[in-house]
Amino acid sequence: MDSQIRKIHQQLVNKEITCTQLVQDKLDLLAKNSHNTVNSLLIDIALKLAAKVDDKIGNGEDIGLLEGIPFGIKDVYMVQGTITTASSKLLKDYKSAYTATAIQKLLDAGAIPIVKENCDSFGHGSSSENTIFGAVKNAINPELVGGGSSGGSAVNVALDYTVFSIGGDTGGSVRQPAGYNHVYGLKPTYGRISRYGLMAYASSTDCVGPIAKSVEDIRIVLNVMSGKDGKDQTTYSSTEILEESLSTSEGIKAIGYFKNFIESDAIDAQVKSDFLSGIEKIKAKGIEVKVLDFFESNTLVSTYYTLAMAETASNLSRLDGTNYGNRIEAENLKETYAVTRSENFSEETKRRIVGGNQVLSQGFSDEIYLKSLALRDAIANNFEEDFKAVDIIISPVTPSAPPKIGDSLKDPLAMYLSDAYTVGFSLGQLPTLTVPQGTETGLQITASKNNDELVLKFANFLKDTL
């Protein structure tokens, strides 16, 4: 699909549509939607900004490419003056005091936020069912989950309720729902986009990620949000990715895939067959394909969840009803903390906090937490060796199709294992893009650190190949 951003920009410039009507139409679609994608609509902000864009066009002024483009925001980002719930009971009335850097950059470019989107509470989940706003329904088949944790964001893009949405990816939270709903979803290199104002889940792997219907729209949004931020010491300066640089696959000589992903007992026969068929089409284009060795899926999942739970236990320790959230009074301060957290956190969030505190506790941290840190280093070293042999690694996004709504809640372990193909790239802090081709839930394209441009370039190549 061609760029929706460029198409709408031209329609606005040509006065074929007004920005106010465009935004109102999207708001109406979101208000009527039955997929549970909306936590709150930003009606006043959106219409006020749209009127300003119409005034500029009416006065004959030029507008920027993103100016007047409606977009959605996963409800874990601060936007000053709006309610930011993280889809949780604890923060259901919490009003943001400031705006996240990534969102501010989009606002500065003229894009118009129209909705805070449903997600797994605090990003804890792989199905967008762990939320007080109702399970997000898949855009293709509403009996299935929307995917998580950025499920509302992916479904809104797939159904054209938003032109693009901003999700958050920790262990696959953008890539997996993008695959489930047949759209593009990017986890950029860790640190390329500031995390300031993104509610922290696991700080060492949290990434801001755009979801859209074309590679070009991903490129445009990525460029705007990228860059060093004094409020996030993990960020770095990056160069703009130019449109013309994505027009050719020159420079991509060899790609690889992990043998143990494809030979796993967990992968569906159809996903495996479609993936290998895609490999043959890539070979036919003259690109060498190499088979790579990697860690077993169980090792990746256990390493990721050990570290992620430890970090979330630390990050959520501040949410005790004193400074943030819905406080429930009890007989004394200690009881107040306990009741506030017990009553307001979901079962999945409590499971992760308890698990995190366990691996960090005296007597266990050496055996579990420190061992996981060593494994993360080994995984990163494995990637460094792989990228000496290949330019790109491709893999299915998930080993199987999205489950029915309700199934993931009955079996948390199965939900964790659905992340088996995404978490490794998060631990490596690598740029990875879901494309809606190749298998039922798409393919992941991964390059070495800071090679986000190569990922987008190969996505364009696949668009014309598969």
Side-chain angles (χ1 to χ4, degrees), residues 62-121:
D62 292 334
I63 61 169
L65 190 56
L66 274 181
E67 212 157 348
I69 304 297
F71 73 102
I73 304 170
K74 183 178 181 179
D75 201 11
V76 291
Y77 288 94
M78 304 300 168
V79 180
Q80 189 174 31
T82 69
I83 301 295
T84 301
T85 69
S87 293
S88 70
K89 187 177 176 184
L90 183 67
L91 298 178
K92 64 180 181 181
D93 298 317
Y94 177 71
K95 185 176 283 189
S96 304
Y98 62 98
T99 299
T101 297
I103 305 302
Q104 187 60 55
K105 287 187 173 187
L106 292 170
L107 291 171
D108 292 344
I112 297 180
I114 58 174
V115 58
K116 302 293 282 292
E117 297 167 318
N118 200 358
C119 58
D120 281 306
S121 178

Side-chain angles (χ1 to χ4, degrees), residues 248-256 282-283 285-290 389-392 454 458:
T248 171
S249 62
E250 282 182 12
I252 301 174
K253 305 298 183 190
I255 70 161
I282 293 168
K283 281 183 183 174
K285 291 287 186 178
I287 292 179
E288 185 181 2
V289 177
K290 298 181 180 180
V390 301
D391 304 299
I392 289 286
L454 199 62
F458 194 68

Side-chain angles (χ1 to χ4, degrees), residues 35-40 74-76 85-90 92 116-137 145-152 344-349 405 409 415:
H35 284 72
N36 295 333
T37 62
V38 177
N39 287 3
S40 60
K74 183 178 181 179
D75 201 11
V76 291
T85 69
S87 293
S88 70
K89 187 177 176 184
L90 183 67
K92 64 180 181 181
K116 302 293 282 292
E117 297 167 318
N118 200 358
C119 58
D120 281 306
S121 178
F122 297 105
H124 299 160
S126 303
S127 63
S128 286
E129 295 172 285
N130 178 37
T131 161
I132 62 169
F133 294 95
V136 175
K137 299 177 184 177
V145 302
S149 59
S150 307
N344 285 313
F345 281 138
S346 69
E347 290 303 309
E348 182 58 37
T349 294
I405 289 175
L409 298 179
M415 180 183 70

Side-chain angles (χ1 to χ4, degrees), residues 188-303:
T189 300
Y190 180 79
R192 186 183 181 97
I193 301 175
S194 171
R195 291 177 292 109
Y196 178 75
L198 164 64
M199 213 170 285
Y201 162 20
S203 304
S204 67
T205 49
D206 285 340
C207 287
V208 178
I211 301 172
K213 278 193 162 178
S214 71
V215 177
E216 174 62 0
D217 286 351
I218 292 284
R219 184 194 71 82
I220 292 169
V221 177
L222 175 66
N223 277 337
V224 169
M225 294 194 296
S226 298
K228 191 168 179 58
D229 180 12
K231 297 170 183 170
D232 178 357
Q233 297 304 308
T234 64
T235 54
Y236 63 92
S237 298
S238 55
T239 55
E240 181 181 4
I241 299 173
L242 301 177
E243 182 182 8
E244 52 268 28
S245 70
L246 307 185
S247 60
T248 171
S249 62
E250 282 182 12
I252 301 174
K253 305 298 183 190
I255 70 161
Y257 70 89
F258 294 128
K259 179 175 62 178
N260 54 310
F261 278 14
I262 304 308
E263 295 182 353
S264 165
D265 292 337
I267 192 170
D268 280 359
Q270 190 63 50
V271 173
K272 179 177 179 177
S273 171
D274 290 345
F275 178 80
L276 292 175
S277 174
I279 289 292
E280 293 305 313
K281 290 176 183 173
I282 293 168
K283 281 183 183 174
K285 291 287 186 178
I287 292 179
E288 185 181 2
V289 177
K290 298 181 180 180
V291 180
L292 306 170
D293 289 321
F294 199 40
F295 292 80
E296 292 296 327
S297 298
N298 287 342
T299 303
L300 297 173
V301 171
S302 58
T303 302

Side-chain angles (χ1 to χ4, degrees), residues 350-368:
K350 282 188 273 191
R351 188 179 296 124
R352 295 185 187 211
I353 290 174
V354 170
N357 285 327
Q358 174 79 1
V359 302
L360 290 173
S361 62
Q362 190 172 16
F364 289 94
S365 61
D366 287 356
E367 284 298 314
I368 304 174

